[in-house]
Amino acid sequence: MKRGSFSAALVAAALALAGAVASADERESAPGASRVVIRALAFTPDTVRVPVGDSVIWTNEDVVPHTVSQLAGARESGRMDPGASFSTVFDEPGAYDLVCRYHPEMTSTVIAVDRRPRPAGSAES
Amino acid sequence: MFEQMWTTAIRSAVALPLLVSTLAPVPVVAQADLSDLEMAHVAVTASVIDISYAHLALAFSSDAAIRDFAETMIRDHSAVNEQVFELARSLGVEARDNAMSRQLLAQASETKDRLARLRGAAFDRAYAENELEYHRTVNRVVEEAFIPNIENGRVKAAFEGALTIFRGHERHAERIARDPR
């Protein structure tokens, strides 16, 4: 192999490696998403714990329509036909109780946990 | 050819127990010999009947819980029936009318006549109680008499999935029958 082509190969390898690292960083820094499946008249899992800022995606794999509706709040999927998905971000810590408006016995809870470090000197709330 | 296989090789002897009294919303069927296609017809008919009860509720009831339940019955039973039709289309067969389906329809006609004479809380109570008893009875037939005798795997899976939905309806009906407003 000529010196010039060997150097070019090294540069290409380095760029490829840098790209791979950047992709890994993007995956790490991208907002996370937890998935909940709606099947057999149930949310599975029925309780989800997520970091604040993450989203939850519900997918209706049942044969009948459902909703994802917050009991005390504004989150509302509307009618989700079989195959439909709904996602929402939980940007405040807390426990969010959800229900299917069509099937009130279907309940679910999302617990959003604040894992961000507190700024130095900040007061406890 | 496939249909012939279904109606001969897959034909099953379904011995339905004495299920309910004459006051219950599903007729007494002591003995039946139903193929998969006939059982599918009974299931579709049972859903159509429940949809017709729900339309009655939407016409006569102003109670929010009753109306929500009725709308769910229309939505869910329509979806389950569509799934049955889709399965039948993919198998190249049709659900087959039979004596049990006709008996269900005749009994439902009497029930609707009885419900249609009621108004207000009396209607709501009778509708909720009928829904509870109807789902209890149909679910028992599907679970104990139909599913064990269905031999086509896809049909059996569809019935098992539908039973899960209908059990949810039974629990929902228990709630509205127990807590009339």
Side-chain angles (χ1 to χ4, degrees):
Chain A
M1 181 183 284
K2 292 182 179 177
R3 181 182 292 270
S5 59
F6 179 71
S7 299
L10 275 179
V11 170
L15 287 173
L17 185 61
V21 171
S23 295
D25 286 343
E26 281 167 13
R27 282 196 296 274
E28 285 297 316
S29 61
S34 298
R35 293 187 175 274
V36 175
V37 170
I38 303 172
R39 190 186 297 138
L41 249 57
F43 296 106
T44 306
D46 61 0
T47 302
V48 186
R49 185 179 291 267
V50 297
V52 166
D54 276 17
S55 61
V56 178
I57 303 169
W58 289 264
T59 302
N60 183 5
E61 295 186 2
D62 220 339
V63 298
V64 297
H66 291 288
T67 76
V68 176
S69 309
Q70 190 176 348
L71 279 175
R75 289 178 174 80
E76 172 60 56
S77 68
R79 174 176 170 143
M80 293 172 64
D81 283 318
S85 291
F86 168 70
S87 71
T88 185
V89 175
F90 291 85
D91 46 16
E92 293 291 337
Y96 299 83
D97 291 323
L98 302 145
V99 66
C100 170
R101 279 190 292 109
Y102 303 155
H103 308 98
E105 67 278 6
M106 287 175 61
T107 59
S108 173
T109 303
V110 173
I111 301 168
V113 182
D114 193 351
R115 292 175 182 160
R116 292 169 299 190
R118 292 180 181 282
S122 66
E124 290 285 336
S125 56
Chain B
M1 180 179 172
F2 184 81
E3 185 176 2
Q4 192 179 4
M5 286 167 58
W6 252 37
T7 54
T8 54
I10 303 181
R11 174 170 288 274
S12 54
V14 182
L16 297 179
L18 282 170
L19 291 168
V20 285
S21 73
T22 53
L23 295 176
V26 174
V28 172
V29 179
Q31 197 79 23
D33 180 13
L34 301 179
S35 67
D36 284 14
L37 297 177
E38 288 167 330
M39 285 189 264
H41 196 280
V42 170
V44 168
T45 301
S47 277
V48 167
I49 288 169
D50 205 39
I51 290 169
S52 70
Y53 292 153
H55 282 296
L56 211 55
L58 293 178
F60 291 148
S61 179
S62 56
D63 182 282
I66 293 287
R67 295 180 66 83
D68 286 348
F69 179 85
E71 285 173 353
T72 294
M73 294 306 102
I74 293 170
R75 197 183 300 112
D76 286 3
H77 284 289
S78 299
V80 168
N81 274 0
E82 185 51 44
Q83 188 197 28
V84 173
F85 296 141
E86 186 58 45
L87 176 58
R89 272 194 294 272
S90 73
L91 294 172
V93 296
E94 281 185 15
R96 183 168 299 136
D97 192 12
N98 60 86
M100 186 176 180
S101 292
R102 290 190 290 275
Q103 201 174 354
L104 278 172
L105 286 168
Q107 181 79 32
S109 179
E110 292 175 18
T111 301
K112 281 186 283 188
D113 286 345
R114 177 173 59 83
L115 289 173
R117 287 195 291 272
L118 303 172
R119 292 292 184 275
F123 174 89
D124 294 343
R125 191 165 47 251
Y127 172 73
E129 288 170 357
N130 184 66
E131 282 300 297
L132 176 56
E133 192 57 40
Y134 188 74
H135 280 93
R136 273 182 183 156
T137 306
V138 170
N139 290 349
R140 222 173 86 209
V141 172
V142 169
E143 181 176 18
E144 297 174 11
F146 283 9
I147 289 176
N149 290 287
I150 296 171
E151 293 187 19
N152 180 287
R154 291 176 65 190
V155 176
K156 189 187 280 275
F159 267 79
E160 288 168 343
L163 180 59
T164 303
I165 304 294
F166 300 158
R167 282 194 184 122
H169 293 171
E170 185 180 326
R171 290 192 296 274
H172 195 164
E174 271 172 2
R175 181 186 296 198
I176 62 168
R178 189 178 58 233
D179 304 320
R181 296 184 182 182

